[in-house]
Amino acid sequence: FKEPLYEDWYYSALGKLYTLISQYKRAVIFFILAYKKNPLPERWLDLIYATEFIYYNEIEPYYDYSLIETLLNKTPEKVLNKYEKALYEFEKGLYYLLIGNYSQAYKYFKISYDLDRAYLTSAQANYFMGLALEGMGKLKDAFFYYKLALNQVKQKDYLKKILFHIFKVSAELKDYKSANSYFMGLWKEGDINTDPYLQLAFIHAWFLNNGTFLPHFYWNRFYDYLARKIMWLAFDKLRGKLAFLYFLYKFSEKGQIDEDLLLLWQNFDNFQLPKNYQWLVELIRKKAL
């Protein structure tokens, strides 16, 4: 690798190795070096791929994806071969998934997968299709793809993501037995004190299927105790904020407030929630009024 001719290949290989172990921030560094040495479209697409997965693999949502949009707009689309075109269409789909435009995400995922999906495992491809369909409200179709992904997955990180989403979709479809079974799968994979997917799934049990799932949740007897623990462990995270809103909702119904709520109340106006959770805040405000 001392020969300059091979430097771009060397950096690109390192970047790809880091993507395989989900260390996307390191991968970006090497993809930038590879592109500087030899500015091929493939190197540029690798850079977008790793950058998108930095955003995607964070449990908590970002609110600014302008960097990805800039990278996509600078892609020399006319010179891409079939494989590169497939990857580029997937990257557009992932961008739209991140910003919450699920119908566009589905459109580009479909184009991408029809061309070539060699850059993803079958489990990942089916999982992303499920995400887009879930976002569109096509829950039965999403369940179909999540089930396929669950039967194919080998990576533990993706297993947890799939279990989290298939748990939610099952509950929304009123298949409560399956929902509890998939939650048990998550429970076996993690610790409620530390695992973000398990904590997020537990808190979601409160408002799935318009709030009617919780009585059917096998763990409902311990719900308040564990929700309070999650609230304190992760108040600066989405799952902690949702737990706080759960107790605030209970207060708005019964008018009984406790010390935990009083201590956290001062921070209530200082956090943001993704758009699809804002209805919770409005619901609580209406009840309180």
Side-chain angles (χ1 to χ4, degrees):
F1 298 123
K2 291 181 180 179
E3 294 293 330
L5 179 65
Y6 300 109
E7 278 190 80
D8 70 308
W9 185 91
Y10 172 67
Y11 291 131
S12 178
L14 278 175
K16 289 180 186 296
L17 286 170
Y18 278 117
T19 64
L20 288 173
I21 58 174
S22 301
Q23 293 191 23
Y24 295 101
K25 290 180 181 178
R26 290 187 177 184
V28 163
I29 294 169
F30 289 108
F31 286 142
I32 289 173
L33 290 172
Y35 184 77
K36 284 183 176 179
K37 293 293 180 181
N38 191 359
L40 296 172
E42 180 185 347
R43 306 281 185 257
W44 185 253
L45 292 171
D46 287 338
L47 175 58
I48 298 173
Y49 183 89
T51 303
E52 285 189 320
F53 274 92
I54 290 172
Y55 286 95
Y56 171 75
N57 279 303
E58 295 288 341
I59 295 291
E60 303 307 321
Y62 287 81
Y63 295 94
D64 182 5
Y65 300 98
S66 56
L67 172 60
I68 297 173
E69 186 179 21
T70 300
L71 294 173
L72 287 170
N73 289 339
K74 289 186 177 182
T75 302
E77 190 174 355
K78 292 181 180 179
V79 300
L80 302 181
N81 61 35
K82 181 180 177 181
Y83 169 82
E84 293 165 346
K85 176 70 172 171
L87 180 53
Y88 177 61
E89 296 297 329
F90 168 79
E91 290 172 345
K92 286 196 288 187
L94 185 50
Y95 166 72
Y96 282 110
L97 189 74
L98 287 166
I99 65 172
N101 189 334
Y102 300 108
S103 58
Q104 285 292 91
Y106 177 80
K107 170 187 171 182
Y108 288 114
F109 285 154
K110 187 74 169 59
I111 294 171
S112 171
Y113 299 161
D114 287 344
L115 286 168
D116 189 346
R117 63 177 77 177
Y119 48 88
L120 291 177
T121 66
S122 295
Q124 289 173 315
N126 288 316
Y127 169 68
F128 279 108
M129 192 68 87
L131 286 179
L133 288 163
E134 182 186 351
M136 293 166 67
K138 296 184 177 182
L139 300 183
K140 289 183 179 179
D141 293 332
F143 181 86
F144 171 79
Y145 280 101
Y146 287 145
K147 196 69 184 290
L148 285 177
L150 194 60
N151 292 331
Q152 298 161 335
V153 70
K154 294 179 181 178
Q155 296 169 285
K156 189 169 183 177
D157 285 347
Y158 269 93
L159 173 61
K160 289 182 179 182
K161 291 175 182 179
I162 295 164
L163 284 169
F164 169 65
H165 283 278
I166 201 169
F167 156 70
K168 286 202 305 171
V169 168
S170 297
E172 295 288 358
L173 290 171
K174 298 185 179 181
D175 185 353
Y176 298 142
K177 183 178 179 181
S178 292
N180 280 299
S181 177
Y182 293 127
F183 184 85
M184 175 60 80
L186 260 179
W187 189 277
K188 290 178 178 178
E189 292 295 327
D191 183 336
I192 193 69
N193 293 302
T194 57
D195 190 278
Y197 288 104
L198 182 56
Q199 290 180 353
L200 199 54
F202 187 85
I203 296 302
H204 271 79
W206 161 44
F207 55 87
L208 287 172
N209 202 9
N210 294 320
T212 62
F213 172 66
L214 189 57
H216 302 274
F217 189 44
Y218 292 167
W219 291 262
N220 58 42
R221 289 180 297 167
F222 315 104
Y223 197 81
D224 281 16
Y225 169 74
L226 291 175
R228 190 176 295 273
K229 178 180 282 191
I230 293 168
M231 180 177 70
W232 278 110
L233 287 171
F235 181 69
D236 61 329
K237 309 294 184 184
L238 175 61
R239 53 197 183 275
K241 296 169 187 176
L242 292 175
F244 176 67
L245 289 178
Y246 165 71
F247 288 110
L248 199 59
Y249 180 82
K250 290 188 69 175
F251 161 65
S252 71
E253 281 196 317
K254 299 180 180 179
Q256 297 175 345
I257 198 164
D258 57 29
E259 290 184 7
D260 286 357
L261 276 179
L262 288 172
L263 286 170
L264 294 174
W265 186 277
Q266 60 185 334
N267 296 311
F268 181 66
D269 291 328
N270 296 329
F271 66 67
Q272 283 184 302
L273 286 171
K275 291 179 181 178
N276 54 323
Y277 293 102
Q278 288 295 336
W279 64 273
L280 286 170
V281 179
E282 294 306 314
L283 181 63
I284 290 166
R285 282 176 178 161
K286 287 178 182 177
K287 277 191 168 290
L289 291 172

